[in-house]
Amino acid sequence: MPGWTRMIPEWLRTGVVYQVYPRSFQDSDGDGIGDLPGILARVPYLADLGVDVLWLSPVHPSPDADFGYDVADYDAVDPKFGTDADLDALIAACHSRGMKVLLDGVFNHTSDQHAWFRASRRSRDDPKRDWYIWRDPKNGGPPNNWASTFGGPAWTLDAATGQYWLHSFLPAQPDLNWRNPEVQEAVLASMRRWFERGIDGFRLDVFNCYRKHPDLPDNPRRWHPGGLVYGYIGQHHVHDRDQDDLPEVLGAMRALADELGAGLVGETMDENFRYDQAHRFVGATGLHLAFHFALLHSRWKAPALAHAIRSWVDSLPADGWPTWVLSNHDFPRHATRWGGGDARAKAAAVLALTLEGTPFLYYGEELGMPEARLARAQIVDPPGKRFWPFFKGRDGARTPMQWDASPNAGFTTGTPWLPVSPDAAQRNVAAQQGVPGSVLETYRAVLRLRRTHRALREGRMQLPDPVHPAVLAWTRTADETLQVVLNTRSRPETLVLAASTEVLLQTGGGRVDGRQVHLDADEAMILRTV
């Protein structure tokens, strides 16, 4: 394959990544919180599922102001999850099965309990003062008008030193100063230690926020009705992220990753859900991959899905490599967003796993797990607690994995940190395993096809133009041409193809008759041209 895509590690370019939110995957000691020994016990399940990469959401020590995304020590394992030896055992178990491991790199900010920030806060003269972004008050208030992603201003006053610190998220998550070379050196040193320990790469949390405009000017105001309640959406974020010199930082990270054969995947922050800056930060000297979450915000309609796909693919360099995400820990699960029951969940599996690019699965989606509905008293997510009922938080996407029909779905023998979804008694691994036509077995079947058909891993993709109003279709071509067709309507549809095909996989009861493909409601097929 030409261009810089050849520089992407093959396992990251052609593999399938499975995200685990450690608190919610498997508890081994009955405290109600998932942990590393629990994940280790489920590695055979992941290997049998057919995924290639395990991505762990944060496992570092954290006071849990933002449930792991406020890191207090980049070089250690949080005791609530286990020990260093537990993580080493998990890495070894994955590697022994040919799987890679990604850690979550939360490097835009730390916890306010991190030793770096505690030192920085001691006095204006502390050597680590400039490791964070401190400024004097302006007109008796914050230094500028920047707003926090989690609500309120992005500045908090430290009474002892008389200056404000910057936090793009909670006050307990102070932003690192990525214009200080010592910060860059310290973070790169930590990354190197993890690579040398066996970690295969990092998913970089909100990487496009690392650098801010050096003069910290006000952001231009933006009219949006929600801005009256949520100030962050009432600004154009031109000075607090996406800076032109950000590639300097990413280039240093990339050089380190390439030196040690590791991979880097970046998450872009964009409250407008356009993600139109993501393409700027990938390439030969940038990140290997970046997330573009258009499908997370698309309707289940063929034209809308096609637009979401094209908006990402068309923005990339000609030889760029996309990523595809249907669900994650920050947004409602797609089984609920799109509805449609198991039929649609199975079609979504085909969508996620057959587009050109690297798929990222989120734990439980292979069961069709829905977004859990939690009472206000059960919400622990900071923005959910602050903005209820306008925004109910992210907890509904983070409920425990559903393993079987036993109490607490086999996740824990104790009281789970979040309630188990009410449908766990019927929707779980044990109930679907080995059952033909189940959501789980559909995921396994599509993953097997990826392994046996190079076109699904590396083939170039072509979407028709114009798009059928009901049926999304695309081809993948390498040593063979495969056609994927997906009916987005809740009624049967017929599509006429340019050539005759044979069925490799179908999620419903449709049929192929020569060049005519008859699809059931919400059915997807993978076809081979004959």
Side-chain angles (χ1 to χ4, degrees), residues 10-19 49-55 99-100 352-353 357-361 443 446-447 450-451 456-457:
E10 184 176 359
W11 58 266
L12 188 57
R13 182 169 54 84
T14 65
V16 176
V17 184
Y18 187 97
Q19 180 190 359
L49 180 62
V51 297
D52 305 286
V53 185
L54 169 62
W55 158 24
M99 295 168 57
K100 304 293 186 179
L353 293 167
T358 300
F360 286 73
L361 307 182
Y443 270 84
V446 182
L447 285 162
R450 278 185 65 92
R451 288 184 179 275
L456 292 179
R457 301 189 308 276

Side-chain angles (χ1 to χ4, degrees), residues 402-467:
Q402 298 166 193
W403 295 105
D404 56 42
S406 66
N408 296 322
F411 164 70
T412 182
T413 58
T415 301
W417 79 285
L418 282 176
V420 171
S421 181
D423 73 342
Q426 296 78 38
R427 186 178 298 280
N428 58 68
V429 172
Q432 296 191 26
Q433 193 153 283
V435 177
S438 67
V439 181
L440 175 58
E441 292 303 328
T442 298
Y443 270 84
R444 285 178 169 160
V446 182
L447 285 162
R448 283 195 298 271
L449 277 182
R450 278 185 65 92
R451 288 184 179 275
T452 55
H453 291 269
R454 177 170 162 258
L456 292 179
R457 301 189 308 276
E458 302 183 63
R460 301 305 292 181
M461 178 173 67
Q462 183 173 355
L463 280 81
D465 191 14
V467 175

Side-chain angles (χ1 to χ4, degrees), residues 279 292 306-318 322 324 463:
H279 70 280
H292 187 288
H307 175 75
I309 293 165
R310 285 198 170 111
S311 69
W312 183 210
V313 173
D314 291 348
S315 71
L316 286 165
W324 303 110
L463 280 81

Side-chain angles (χ1 to χ4, degrees), residues 19 77 96 100 145 151 217 227 231 280 336 356 361 365 369 492:
Q19 180 190 359
V77 172
S96 72
K100 304 293 186 179
N145 72 341
R280 294 173 50 199
T336 296
E356 180 182 6
L361 307 182
E365 77 169 72
M369 271 181 65

Side-chain angles (χ1 to χ4, degrees), residues 137-336:
K138 181 178 180 180
N139 300 323
N144 62 26
N145 72 341
W146 293 2
S148 163
T149 309
F150 285 175
W155 297 93
T156 292
L157 179 65
D158 179 57
T161 61
Q163 286 190 313
Y164 284 83
W165 76 80
L166 177 68
H167 50 88
S168 297
F169 297 88
L170 295 172
Q173 296 169 285
D175 282 23
L176 285 164
N177 178 12
W178 274 95
R179 295 192 177 279
N180 184 335
E182 293 179 353
V183 169
Q184 178 170 308
E185 291 170 8
V187 172
L188 289 175
S190 178
M191 294 175 70
R192 177 180 289 276
R193 286 189 287 271
W194 282 111
F195 290 149
E196 291 175 346
R197 187 168 164 179
I199 287 297
D200 300 290
F202 278 93
R203 173 265 190 189
L204 301 173
D205 186 63
V206 295
F207 76 90
N208 61 323
C209 298
Y210 287 175
R211 279 200 170 168
K212 284 75 174 173
H213 191 291
D215 298 329
L216 307 183
D218 283 356
N219 278 325
R221 296 195 179 278
R222 168 198 179 204
W223 166 244
H224 188 287
L228 300 174
V229 176
Y230 179 48
Y232 191 81
I233 207 168
Q235 298 182 359
H236 293 289
H237 293 276
V238 296
H239 299 311
D240 52 354
R241 68 173 191 234
D242 298 320
Q243 297 302 291
D244 290 339
D245 58 358
L246 175 60
E248 295 176 8
V249 174
L250 304 181
M253 289 183 166
R254 173 61 179 266
L256 173 63
D258 285 349
E259 174 191 343
L260 298 171
L264 299 175
V265 184
E267 178 207 27
T268 45
M269 164 77 76
D270 184 354
E271 78 289 348
N272 297 309
F273 306 142
R274 290 196 297 262
Y275 308 103
D276 52 0
Q277 300 296 310
H279 70 280
R280 294 173 50 199
F281 305 116
V282 295
T285 59
L287 302 178
H288 294 104
L289 302 175
F291 286 132
H292 187 288
F293 294 137
L295 288 177
L296 279 167
H297 308 286
S298 175
R299 295 172 298 157
W300 184 257
K301 294 181 181 296
L305 292 170
H307 175 75
I309 293 165
R310 285 198 170 111
S311 69
W312 183 210
V313 173
D314 291 348
S315 71
L316 286 165
D319 55 357
W321 198 247
T323 57
W324 303 110
V325 181
L326 304 187
S327 291
N328 68 16
H329 62 291
D330 282 333
F331 294 97
R333 288 181 176 271
H334 66 266
T336 296

